DNA sequence: TAATTCGCTAGACCGA
DNA sequence: TCGGTCTAGCGAA
């Protein structure tokens, strides 16, 4: 029998059943021949059973039969296995996944069975982990003439995935006659397509004067052209923007209506729309469908992007600083009906696909690296939370270490865990007012480094061998093994070291190369995982949840920050403020930046393991303020370095739920005070703003406030302004979904603020409540700063005090 | 389908 | 109408 050995990019993995009802894994690889599908009919779904006596129960279980009205199921086999963290484990296998699902609940009732494990690892993921494969990495397959895989292994030698990835994007424009587009009724009027080599817009029946536009006779011809184009280009990855919830489902429905086959999957089948939680997700079998919208959402969660709206216009601006013209749905309808201005629509349509392609080009490397690290497909990675990614990283690592994976907690357990919160970081009350010569120190990746340095892991917790030893005894009283690093902790250390190694490699590579971009993406993926480890330890649904570990981490964190503050004071610095992993120190006249660095060095010599205190910066001036209710405000301050650069933290200026006019005024006040030391100028700025508001000439944009609608309108106990605005808009026929960020204004009409609140699009220029914006926005934002300089509200709003109060003496 | 706690503040809501 | 309490959202780390 001829055996062929091929290496290819592992794009997709799923499973089917053969004629005999046996589960069969399918692997989709990009080889020299295109995307080839290989099957592995010999891998069986399984899970583990922990029992009192493995040898005895093996026979019993193999003899058992489970049945209902429709079927009878038996195990394929049960085999005793040695696991590093459990005795008497049986690995029980099944013909297929539905048999497994049928039996997994029942088998717990069998005599001698104590527990079942790993019964909820999806079959295809199970295969990837057990075979040591890497999705979006290369795999070597030895296959017979029918493409049955006889051997499968990861091909770590090859690493050119990102360079060679075939990516294509498309985007639809549809008709929406006075309502949201409905694929059952409304036609697609334009489709843009973009890949590395070509860009097109397809339309039908109209004249469009653009050379990149191809005009077809009808919608059917146009849609067919897209389908043909995708099949011709045979991409590894199809990227859309919002394709999960819009473009793909819409296309699918249209194809059905038009009698077209939407056969763009690598095996010639059609994409499937899956329900994923509250959202949809569209799978293109054999290839990967990545919705760039999900990538953008991830970037927003990571703080790379600060977005209110997630449309491509906002993204283009935030990511690339470029203005992209928006063409509204009604404009598209109008252009289509009149046949005029279709060039503008085509430009817009093409720009959508082009920007989507650009986002893909820039951020697919991160997806690819994350896929390889966590053994998930690009499809899954781009739609997963960091919690899920960490979980799969640990699942894979468990398998490699022959460890049995803990089960997901039951719902009662989740509730019980969530009920008891735990103490977090320490925040020191600052001294309100103006300060000069402030040094900021912080612990580099504090929580990860505590976990690594103190061997924090569920399996090293309170070990018998280290009882009474002080070395890894947390302030909580729990201790961790000194002899063993622990599963969780050692994995974290590996990641930490790997990242340092990659960062070293990056220094030897030119920045504009693909190699650099890949390395950058790799260390970034590691950083994301690194920073999620502590969070999941205290996450109620996490398999490896450990309250003891989570509390030990924060307790040590508080301990070390206190130590630094104390040591600083002993050395002649004045501790000003601290938050979780940082320490703000005021330098006395005789001390310099160098002394701070020396101090940090001294601290570092005494710190355990990989923990490190870093010098973050030295600032000329800083201001801390008093809370409205009195007392020093935490998490709110502004610093200015010796070059005049401002850092504003926690103030209204950084909050999206405050109006631009208040934020901008606040910033100018901070600038006047910190940069120029001119509080009287600040007063002038405030008075001018108030005057402008009173005259009613402030444009809408400066008055918008943004707040997310976090639940369905009816589910609120209190109707806040943004909810009231949403209610009114919905009554007018607007469709507002949970999770959308509302842009609203406080208008003149109504009594309460909620009554006055309206979505910005329904408000005409000049219709705003000046009193509200003065008294509830501008004044509260600036008064907290001006108060520190001895000014009162009256001083700002009315005449009064003009002289500076010698703020810097 | 879902990473953590700490902290500030608004505006609604409720009872006197 | 006023003041206290609570819901809700956002940001820091």
């Amino acid at each position: 029998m001829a055996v062929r050995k091929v290496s290819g990019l592992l794009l997709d993995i799923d499973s089917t059943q053969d004629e005999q009802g046996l589960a069969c894994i399918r692997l989709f690889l990009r080889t020299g021949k295109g995307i080839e599908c290989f099957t592995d009919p010999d891998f069986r779904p399984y899970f583990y059973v922990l029992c009192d006596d493995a040898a005895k129960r093996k026979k019993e279980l193999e003899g058992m039969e489970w049945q209902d009205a429709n079927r009878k199921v038996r195990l394929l086999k049960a085999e005793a296995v040695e696991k590093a963290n459990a005795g008497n484990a049986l690995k029980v296998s099944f013909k297929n996944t539905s048999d497994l699902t049928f039996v997994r609940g029942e088998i717990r009732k069998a005599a001698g069975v104590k527990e079942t494990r790993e019964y909820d690892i999806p079959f295809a993921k199970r295969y990837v982990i057990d075979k040591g494969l890497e999705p979006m990495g290369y795999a070597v397959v030895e296959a017979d003439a029918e493409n049955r895989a006889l051997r499968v292994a990861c091909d770590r030698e090859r690493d050119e995935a990102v360079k060679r990835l075939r990516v294509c994007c498309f985007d639809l424009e549809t008709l929406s006659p006075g309502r949201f587009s409905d694929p059952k009724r409304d036609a697609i009027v334009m489709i843009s397509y973009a890949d590395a080599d070509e860009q097109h817009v397809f339309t039908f029946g109209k004249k469009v004067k653009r050379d990149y536009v191809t005009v077809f006779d009808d919608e059917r011809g146009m849609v067919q052209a897209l389908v043909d184009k995708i099949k011709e280009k045979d991409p590894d990855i199809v990227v859309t923007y919002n394709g999960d919830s819009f473009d793909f489902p819409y296309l699918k429905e249209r194809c059905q209506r038009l009698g077209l086959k939407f056969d763009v999957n690598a095996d010639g089948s059609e994409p499937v729309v899956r329900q994923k939680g509250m959202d949809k997700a569209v799978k293109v079998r054999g290839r990967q469908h990545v919705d760039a919208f999900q990538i953008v959402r991830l970037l927003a969660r990571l703080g790379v992007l600060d977005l209110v709206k997630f449309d491509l216009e906002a993204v283009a601006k935030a990511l690339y600083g470029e203005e992209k013209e928006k063409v509204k749905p009604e404009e598209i309808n109008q252009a289509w009906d009149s046949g005029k201005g279709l060039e503008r629509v085509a430009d817009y349509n093409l720009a959508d696909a082009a920007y989507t392609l650009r986002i893909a080009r820039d951020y697919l490397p991160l997806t690819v690296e994350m896929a390889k690290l966590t053994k998930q497909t690009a499809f899954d990675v781009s739609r997963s939370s960091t919690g899920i990614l960490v979980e799969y990283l640990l699942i894979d690592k468990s398998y490699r270490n022959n460890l049995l994976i803990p089960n997901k907690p039951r719902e009662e357990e989740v509730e019980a865990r969530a009920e008891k919160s735990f103490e977090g970081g320490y925040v020191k009350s600052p001294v309100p007012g103006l300060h000069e010569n402030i040094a900021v120190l912080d612990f580099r990746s504090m929580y990860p480094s505590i976990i690594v340095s103190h061997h924090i892991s569920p399996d090293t917790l309170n070990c018998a061998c280290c009882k009474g030893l002080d070395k890894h005894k947390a302030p909580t009283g729990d201790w961790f093994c000194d002899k063993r690093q622990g599963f969780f902790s050692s994995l974290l250390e590996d990641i930490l070291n790997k990242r340092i190694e990659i960062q070293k490699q990056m220094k030897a590579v030119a920045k504009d190369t693909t190699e650099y971009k890949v390395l950058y993406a790799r260390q970034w993926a590691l950083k994301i995982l690194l920073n999620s480890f502590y969070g999941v330890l205290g996450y109620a649904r996490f398999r490896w949840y450990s309250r003891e570990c989570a509390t030990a981490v924060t307790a040590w964190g508080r301990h070390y920050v206190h130590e630094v503050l104390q040591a600083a004071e002993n050395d002649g610095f004045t501790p000003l403020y601290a938050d979780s992993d940082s320490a703000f120190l005021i330098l006395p006249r005789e001390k310099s930046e160098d002394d701070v660095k020396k101090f940090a060095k001294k601290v570092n010599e005494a710190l355990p393991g990989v923990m490190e205190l870093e010098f973050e910066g030295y600032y000329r001036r800083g201001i801390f303020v008093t809370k409205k209710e009195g007392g020093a405000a935490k998490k709110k301050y502004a610093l200015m370095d010796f070059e005049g650069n401002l850092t504003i933290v926690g103030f209204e200026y950084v909050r999206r739920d405050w109006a631009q006019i208040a934020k901008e005024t606040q910033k100018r006040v901070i600038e006047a005070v910190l940069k120029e030391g001119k509080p009287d100028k600040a007063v002038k700025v405030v008075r001018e703003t108030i005057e402008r508001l009173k005259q009613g000439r402030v444009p809408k944009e400066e008055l918008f406030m943004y707040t997310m609608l976090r639940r369905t309108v009816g589910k609120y106990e209190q109707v806040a302004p943004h909810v009231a605005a949403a209610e009114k808009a919905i009554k007018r026929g607007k469709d507002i979904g949970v999770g959308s960020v509302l842009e609203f204004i406080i208008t003149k009409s109504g009594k309460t603020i909620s009554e006055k609140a309206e979505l910005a699009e329904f408000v005409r220029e000049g219709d705003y409540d000046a009193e509200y914006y003065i008294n509830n926005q501008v004044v509260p934002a600036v008064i907290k700063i001006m108060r520190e300089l001895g000014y009162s509200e009256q001083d700002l709003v009315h005449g009064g005090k003009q002289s500076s109060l010698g703020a810097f003496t």
Side-chain angles (χ1 to χ4, degrees):
Chain A
M1 188 177 61
V3 175
R4 185 164 66 103
K5 189 172 174 180
V6 274
S7 164
L9 181 64
L10 179 57
L11 285 170
D12 198 16
I13 309 97
D14 70 357
S15 69
T16 52
Q17 275 182 35
D18 66 13
E19 315 78 58
Q20 292 125 49
L22 283 172
C24 180
I25 285 286
R26 287 191 300 197
L27 301 163
F28 293 88
L29 265 70
R30 162 72 63 188
T31 70
K33 291 185 180 174
I35 296 176
E36 286 191 81
C37 177
F38 298 91
T39 56
D40 188 339
D42 298 326
F43 189 76
R44 301 271 74 84
Y46 70 88
F47 62 85
Y48 296 99
V49 172
L50 297 183
C51 47
D52 53 356
D53 182 340
K56 180 176 156 204
R57 302 298 176 191
K58 169 183 153 65
K59 288 235 170 85
E60 289 176 14
L61 289 173
E62 281 181 336
M64 283 177 86
E65 201 170 71
W66 291 267
Q67 61 176 319
D68 64 8
N70 304 315
R71 58 163 154 192
K72 283 184 191 166
V73 176
R74 295 170 67 98
L75 302 183
L76 220 48
K77 65 172 174 183
E79 101 195 80
V81 286
E82 290 294 324
K83 285 285 176 183
N85 59 347
N88 281 310
L90 286 172
K91 178 177 171 180
V92 295
S93 330
F94 299 84
K95 275 172 73 176
N96 55 46
T97 51
S98 74
D99 278 9
L100 182 150
T101 314
F102 187 68
V103 171
R104 70 181 170 190
E106 295 300 311
I107 203 168
R108 286 179 203 131
K109 297 173 195 156
V113 170
K114 294 199 278 194
E115 239 187 296
T116 51
R117 294 282 189 93
E118 306 194 14
Y119 45 80
D120 54 1
I121 315 288
F123 188 41
K125 293 179 197 288
R126 177 87 267 175
Y127 183 84
V128 168
I129 290 166
D130 289 17
K131 298 283 180 179
L133 302 178
E134 280 181 358
M136 299 315 289
Y138 285 81
V140 193
V141 178
E142 287 172 34
D144 66 13
E146 267 89 55
N147 264 6
R148 275 191 296 252
L150 309 171
R151 276 201 44 182
V152 179
C154 191
D155 186 356
R156 281 176 217 281
E157 299 299 305
R158 299 183 65 182
D159 194 20
E160 68 266 42
V162 169
K163 230 180 283 181
R164 301 217 175 171
L165 230 39
R166 300 156 72 115
V167 180
C168 82
C169 302
F170 71 87
D171 185 73
L172 308 181
E173 301 306 334
T174 60
L175 290 179
S176 50
R179 53 178 161 73
F180 203 69
S181 300
D182 176 0
K184 292 190 171 68
R185 291 186 276 180
D186 307 320
I188 299 167
V189 293
M190 268 185 204
I191 303 175
S192 56
Y193 172 91
D195 63 32
D197 307 313
E198 51 184 314
Q199 301 196 342
H200 300 282
V201 167
F202 300 147
T203 187
F204 66 93
K206 307 262 169 164
K207 244 194 201 139
V208 188
K209 284 172 251 148
R210 287 287 188 270
D211 53 10
Y212 58 78
V213 173
T214 311
V215 181
F216 295 84
D217 292 342
D218 52 16
E219 187 190 3
R220 199 166 182 277
M222 172 187 70
V223 172
Q224 184 65 56
L226 173 73
V227 174
D228 290 344
K229 181 54 84 181
I230 295 173
K231 284 158 75 176
E232 174 206 329
K233 299 307 281 257
D234 187 26
D236 299 321
I237 302 192
V238 180
V239 186
T240 58
Y241 198 80
N242 241 331
D244 274 346
S245 56
F246 185 75
D247 300 65
F248 263 115
Y250 208 97
L251 254 176
K252 219 186 146 177
E253 178 74 33
R254 280 321 278 171
C255 281
Q256 214 165 40
R257 305 242 148 204
L258 297 167
L260 292 176
K261 276 195 197 153
F262 189 31
D263 49 354
V264 296
N265 288 359
D267 64 351
S269 58
E270 300 200 1
V272 176
V273 184
R274 287 188 191 171
Q275 201 62 38
K276 199 160 186 174
M278 304 228 314
D279 303 319
K280 287 173 185 160
V282 178
K283 246 193 101 72
V284 179
R285 189 191 296 148
R287 316 182 196 280
Q288 293 290 296
H289 168 220
V290 172
D291 189 336
F293 174 69
Q294 301 289 347
I295 294 183
V296 169
R297 241 181 25 181
L298 173 74
L299 295 178
R301 277 209 302 273
L302 295 174
V304 177
L305 270 175
D306 184 21
L307 285 180
V308 199
K309 273 192 226 161
F310 281 83
D311 58 16
L312 271 171
E313 286 70 34
V315 175
K317 184 96 212 293
L319 239 30
Y320 306 114
E322 293 175 12
E323 294 293 341
K324 177 180 175 300
E325 198 194 2
K326 170 109 186 164
V327 180
K328 293 182 185 148
E330 56 267 30
E331 295 178 293
I332 296 173
N333 291 329
Q334 211 178 15
W336 188 253
D337 291 341
S338 66
K340 282 181 204 144
L342 283 168
E343 289 75 18
R344 202 172 144 251
V345 180
D347 291 348
Y348 167 71
N349 187 207
L350 188 67
D352 276 356
Y355 272 109
T356 304
L357 186 66
R358 190 162 169 193
I359 296 168
R361 188 195 65 198
D362 292 345
Y363 297 98
L364 272 179
L366 176 66
T367 309
V368 167
E369 294 307 322
M370 193 62 100
K372 290 164 78 169
L373 278 170
T374 59
K375 320 294 177 188
Q376 303 293 296
T377 60
F379 175 88
D380 286 325
V381 160
S382 61
R383 292 166 181 80
S384 294
S385 66
T386 49
I388 297 286
L389 295 176
V390 170
E391 182 167 279
Y392 273 103
L393 187 75
L394 286 160
I395 287 174
D396 179 58
K397 193 74 174 173
S398 294
Y399 182 83
R400 309 257 87 79
N401 291 350
N402 196 33
L403 290 165
L404 223 45
I405 298 159
N407 288 333
K408 279 187 192 161
R410 290 193 315 274
E411 212 49 40
E412 311 95 81
E413 176 67 13
V414 171
E415 278 165 34
R417 287 174 180 181
E419 220 164 76
K420 279 205 282 177
S421 171
F422 58 88
E423 202 179 338
Y426 164 68
V427 190
K428 177 182 160 58
S429 241
V431 183
L434 272 165
H435 304 279
E436 302 206 321
N437 303 329
I438 303 162
V440 178
L441 298 169
D442 56 23
F443 284 93
R444 182 177 52 112
S445 303
M446 186 195 229
Y447 288 174
S449 68
I450 287 176
I451 293 172
V452 171
S453 304
H454 284 302
H455 296 188
I456 296 176
S457 185
D459 55 322
T460 46
L461 174 68
N462 296 337
C463 65
C465 55
C466 300
K467 191 172 183 177
L469 214 66
D470 277 343
K471 192 167 173 194
H472 298 306
K473 187 168 179 188
T476 55
D478 289 314
W479 69 91
F480 298 89
C481 190
D482 185 38
K483 295 174 192 149
R484 289 178 304 118
Q485 165 103 58
F487 174 61
F488 205 86
S489 174
S490 65
L491 176 52
L492 202 51
E493 184 170 37
D494 288 347
I495 295 176
L496 217 59
N497 290 336
K498 217 168 170 181
R499 181 154 184 258
I500 292 167
E501 177 57 34
I502 292 165
Q503 284 173 330
K504 251 189 233 162
Q505 290 173 26
M506 282 167 69
K507 287 187 180 150
V509 182
K511 277 197 176 178
D512 53 354
T513 57
T514 308
E515 199 186 346
Y516 183 89
K517 282 173 191 150
V518 169
L519 290 173
Y520 180 84
R522 198 166 290 167
Q523 67 82 32
W524 191 10
L526 290 168
K527 184 183 174 182
I528 292 169
L529 293 169
L530 204 62
N531 288 340
S532 308
F533 265 64
Y534 154 72
V536 292
L537 267 179
Y539 171 48
R541 289 183 192 276
F542 189 49
R543 289 176 192 260
W544 285 268
Y545 171 89
S546 169
R547 202 185 135 78
E548 292 83 354
C549 289
T551 51
V553 173
T554 55
W556 255 310
R558 295 191 298 275
H559 166 80
Y560 286 115
V561 167
H562 277 122
E563 258 193 353
V564 168
L565 293 175
Q566 187 59 59
E569 195 167 356
N570 294 345
D571 270 21
F573 299 98
T574 308
L576 169 63
Y577 175 66
D579 186 352
S580 306
D581 64 352
S582 65
F584 291 50
L585 310 173
I586 298 174
L587 272 63
R589 277 201 194 291
E590 68 277 12
K591 283 195 191 288
S592 66
E593 190 177 318
D594 244 21
D595 294 315
V596 183
K597 287 179 178 161
K598 274 184 206 150
F599 169 72
K601 194 165 176 241
K602 194 172 80 180
V603 171
N604 279 324
E605 276 158 17
L607 285 173
V610 297
M611 288 196 69
E612 195 184 320
L613 185 67
E614 282 185 320
F615 175 79
E616 192 272 332
Y618 186 37
Y619 298 89
R620 169 120 172 71
R621 288 198 187 111
I623 188 162
F624 286 82
V625 297
T626 307
K627 277 185 290 188
K628 197 173 185 184
E629 308 296 323
K634 299 167 176 177
K635 297 183 186 285
K636 227 171 230 203
Y637 58 88
L639 300 170
M640 185 194 64
D641 66 16
F642 287 84
E643 276 82 56
N645 304 304
L646 280 185
T647 307
I648 300 178
V649 177
F651 275 115
E652 285 71 12
Y653 176 70
V654 300
R655 296 179 63 98
R656 67 175 178 194
D657 52 350
W658 280 70
Q660 165 99 45
I661 192 152
K663 300 203 290 187
E664 206 44 49
T665 312
Q666 182 180 56
K667 189 189 172 203
R668 289 172 66 193
V669 163
I670 291 172
E671 249 163 4
V673 170
L674 286 186
K675 264 193 183 169
E676 307 173 44
K678 289 178 186 157
D680 47 334
K681 186 182 166 188
V683 174
K684 219 175 121 195
V685 165
V686 176
R687 290 217 186 113
E688 277 167 16
T689 306
I690 291 175
E691 204 41 48
R692 221 153 58 81
L693 276 164
K694 277 185 179 162
Q695 285 169 4
R697 289 210 309 262
V698 177
K700 257 164 87 169
E701 298 85 56
E702 292 183 54
L703 305 171
F704 294 163
M705 292 174 281
Y706 299 94
T707 305
M708 188 188 285
L709 191 71
R710 302 174 79 123
R711 50 182 87 163
T712 320
V713 163
K715 297 226 165 126
Y716 281 90
E717 275 182 51
Q718 274 184 12
V719 180
H722 72 286
V723 181
E727 271 177 348
K728 286 177 237 175
I730 289 168
K731 268 191 196 132
R732 292 189 193 111
K734 200 172 156 64
D735 182 41
I736 300 173
V738 173
S740 45
V741 178
L742 307 175
E743 187 180 39
F744 66 100
I745 282 185
I746 303 305
T747 66
K748 285 176 182 155
S749 41
K751 277 168 91 180
T752 65
I753 294 166
S754 279
E755 278 170 29
K756 292 179 185 180
E758 290 281 0
L759 289 200
E761 61 191 277
F762 297 111
V763 182
R764 58 172 202 285
E765 275 309 332
D767 181 13
Y768 66 84
D769 181 358
E771 287 296 305
Y772 172 83
Y773 282 97
I774 294 167
N775 298 325
N776 298 30
Q777 291 280 322
V778 174
V779 171
V782 298
I783 191 64
K784 42 177 66 92
I785 296 150
M786 298 308 293
R787 234 183 350 230
E788 298 310 323
L789 308 169
Y791 287 82
S792 73
E793 206 168 314
Q794 273 70 33
D795 298 331
L796 294 178
V797 184
H798 310 103
K801 196 167 352 190
Q802 281 290 330
S803 66
S804 94
L805 279 183
F808 303 117
T809 54

